[in-house]
């Protein structure tokens, strides 16, 4: 498996406050990676560094063979990394306007094709295409967030807590359509979550604690790791 994204020895923070300490992660092509961590562990901070939304103090980031740590966010986006923040959707714009923003850099004809593809994949969105993003239910809003992020035909989709604010039923829906979205493509996923339900679709897992990676391995290895289980997730080994 070829490595698509590689972040090495990332140190960063806000002002005097250091949040990430020598953080290292990688994502392979077609791989689904979950970054688990409690509130305040530094997940959002790491994703922001990957996207160029927060400068790194030291370290390096490589994507599809190129060093990107000095690239602007729009350049990273155009090179194939798409980002779904916790907000995900612009509530004052319609569903279709949101989708078109997601495909902003595509040639017009590809943009149209992608729009049709998203409507095929998410028929609910087609029905609501003239409605404001803010009028959608929590689950539909997430769906729009994912569709918007997929519009740009990314190689890697980076998601910040897609489960935030969703009921367990909607979480299942989000997981199902993420599986559907990745099944017929080579799309890689990096999902920052505190919800262990997302482990169901993970090829590999990182645990981030206090800004440090404290576990890296497969889900089976995570489940076998009693210390990780007890310390962070209260899992009982079932
Ligand atoms: P959450 O699930 O709550 O979003 P997280 O794992 O994404 O948690 P971060 O948002 O990356 O964690 O926050 C990590 C640390 O950095 C926390 O201590 C937080 O208070 C701090 N922090 C985050 N954003 C800022 C900021 N803009 N200025 C100062 N400190 C910040």
């Amino acid at each position: 498996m070829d490595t698509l994204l590689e972040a090495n020895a990332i140190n960063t923070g806000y002002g005097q406050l250091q949040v990430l300490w020598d953080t290292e992660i990688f994502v392979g092509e077609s791989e689904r990676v979950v970054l688990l961590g409690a509130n305040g562990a530094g997940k959002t901070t790491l994703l922001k560094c990957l996207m160029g939304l927060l400068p790194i103090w030291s370290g390096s980031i490589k994507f599809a063979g190129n060093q990107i740590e000095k690239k602007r966010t729009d350049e990273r986006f155009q090179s194939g990394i798409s980002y779904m923040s916790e907000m995900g959707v612009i509530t004052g714009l319609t569903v279709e306007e949101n989708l078109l923003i997601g495909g902003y850099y595509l040639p017009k004809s590809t943009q149209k094709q992608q729009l049709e593809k998203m409507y095929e994949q998410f028929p609910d969105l087609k029905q609501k295409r003239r409605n404001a993003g803010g009028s959608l239910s929590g689950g539909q809003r997430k769906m729009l967030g994912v569709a918007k992020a997929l519009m740009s035909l990314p190689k890697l989709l980076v998601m910040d807590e897609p489960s935030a604010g969703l009921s367990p039923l909607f979480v299942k829906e989000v997981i199902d359509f993420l599986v559907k979205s990745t099944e017929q493509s080579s799309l890689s996923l990096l999902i920052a979550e505190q919800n262990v339900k997302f482990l169901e679709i993970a090829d590999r897992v990182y645990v981030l604690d206090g800004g440090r990676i404290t576990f890296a391995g497969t889900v089976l290895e995570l489940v076998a790791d009693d210390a990780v289980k007890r310390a962070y997730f209260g899992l009982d080994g079932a």
Side-chain angles (χ1 to χ4, degrees):
M1 177 185 58
D2 288 334
T3 303
L4 183 60
L5 175 85
E6 198 179 324
N8 285 307
I10 304 293
N11 287 286
T12 196
Y14 306 91
Q16 299 291 309
L17 174 73
Q18 181 158 2
V19 172
L20 295 182
W21 303 78
D22 285 328
T23 306
E24 309 216 328
I25 64 162
F26 74 90
V27 180
E29 277 180 10
S30 308
E31 206 184 18
R32 299 173 188 160
V33 174
V34 169
L35 175 69
L36 276 178
N39 269 332
K43 302 182 297 297
T44 302
T45 302
L46 178 58
L47 300 194
K48 281 186 182 164
C49 291
L50 299 177
M51 295 312 299
L53 295 165
L54 181 72
I56 54 175
W57 297 349
S58 63
S60 64
I61 306 169
K62 213 169 168 180
F63 180 71
N66 301 308
Q67 294 301 141
I68 60 161
E69 67 273 355
K70 294 203 170 70
K71 301 262 187 222
R72 294 191 313 263
T73 300
D74 61 313
E75 291 170 326
R76 297 184 201 202
F77 180 69
Q78 286 191 67
S79 70
I81 315 179
S82 195
Y83 178 54
M84 182 179 149
S85 68
E86 266 188 82
M87 304 281 287
V89 158
I90 303 171
T91 51
L93 298 181
T94 65
V95 166
E96 187 146 315
E97 285 164 344
N98 267 285
L99 291 173
L100 289 173
I101 286 178
Y104 178 78
Y105 289 107
L106 297 175
K108 278 275 170 299
S109 57
T110 320
Q111 207 181 59
K112 254 185 111 179
Q113 274 171 15
Q114 276 299 92
L115 194 62
E116 286 314 313
K117 202 167 125 196
M118 290 307 144
Y119 284 152
E120 235 170 70
Q121 207 168 352
F122 308 110
D124 280 7
L125 294 183
K126 184 169 189 178
Q127 224 177 23
K128 308 224 156 159
R129 64 186 186 277
R130 308 265 171 254
N131 295 23
S135 71
L136 303 180
S137 70
Q140 286 170 338
R141 225 185 267 194
K142 284 297 162 178
M143 210 177 283
L144 176 57
V146 176
K148 179 177 168 229
L150 292 178
M151 273 292 288
S152 59
L153 288 163
K155 297 188 185 93
L156 170 68
L157 172 56
V158 175
M159 308 176 90
D160 197 358
E161 292 204 38
S163 77
L166 292 185
S167 67
L169 193 69
F170 280 134
V171 169
K172 190 178 175 322
E173 223 173 89
V174 171
I175 288 176
D176 287 349
F177 71 68
L178 278 177
V179 169
K180 209 167 95 185
S181 308
T182 48
E183 251 168 11
Q184 304 120 338
S185 72
S186 58
L187 178 72
S188 303
L189 296 178
L190 174 60
I191 307 173
E193 261 300 342
Q194 26 187 330
N195 189 328
V196 289
K197 196 93 182 107
F198 279 79
L199 294 179
E200 281 175 17
I201 60 166
D203 296 314
R204 247 166 4 90
V205 190
Y206 289 97
V207 174
L208 188 65
D209 184 27
R212 290 181 166 88
I213 298 289
T214 55
F215 173 88
T218 63
V219 177
L220 282 179
E221 287 163 348
L222 177 81
V223 171
D225 190 320
D226 285 341
V228 171
K229 261 189 318 193
R230 274 197 301 271
Y232 308 117
F233 305 110
L235 298 177
D236 58 9

